[in-house]
Amino acid sequence: MTGGRTRPRYQLAIEALVSTTADPVHLQGLLPEHQRICHLCQEVKSVAEVSALLNIPLGVARILVADLAEAGMVAIHQPGGGSEAGGTPDVTLLERVLSGLRKL
């Protein structure tokens, strides 16, 4: 699935949101895993949700999503800075992660 790669071309947070930007007609010729991700992300999903819903390891999901983003097939919405000035985790981010985990 990943062509032997163990790391994505760029770092994706597990809570990064993924949405499909591709026209369904352009999904022909993609790997089946890429097609499944594009279909799944017609409704916005986090990278962690993609991994869980498709039953693939998180590292593999990150690589496949990054490949699709590079090809312009999905849009990635990375979370903001991630921490406040005092080094305390962003409460909003933690709430989103918790909500996503509960949905799984």
Side-chain angles (χ1 to χ4, degrees):
M1 278 189 270
T2 64
R5 291 174 289 135
T6 59
R7 295 180 192 242
R9 287 180 169 76
Y10 58 92
Q11 223 25 53
L12 287 176
I14 63 169
E15 69 274 8
L17 299 177
V18 183
S19 60
T20 301
T21 58
D23 185 344
V25 174
H26 294 109
L27 299 181
Q28 300 293 334
L30 290 179
L31 292 173
E33 295 79 13
H34 286 146
Q35 290 179 8
R36 290 173 60 203
I37 291 170
C38 287
H39 286 296
L40 181 66
C41 293
Q42 288 176 351
E43 292 182 18
V44 177
K45 302 277 188 279
S46 70
V47 174
E49 287 175 301
V50 169
S51 171
L53 292 170
L54 296 181
N55 199 29
I56 57 177
L58 183 57
V60 173
R62 283 179 165 159
I63 292 169
L64 295 176
V65 168
D67 289 348
L68 287 168
E70 189 173 335
M73 305 298 274
V74 298
I76 306 292
H77 309 281
Q78 292 273 31
S83 64
E84 299 169 1
T88 308
D90 180 19
V91 173
T92 306
L93 171 62
L94 293 175
E95 288 173 348
R96 285 195 326 255
V97 171
L98 182 59
S99 174
L101 290 171
R102 285 184 176 143
K103 289 178 183 178
L104 295 176

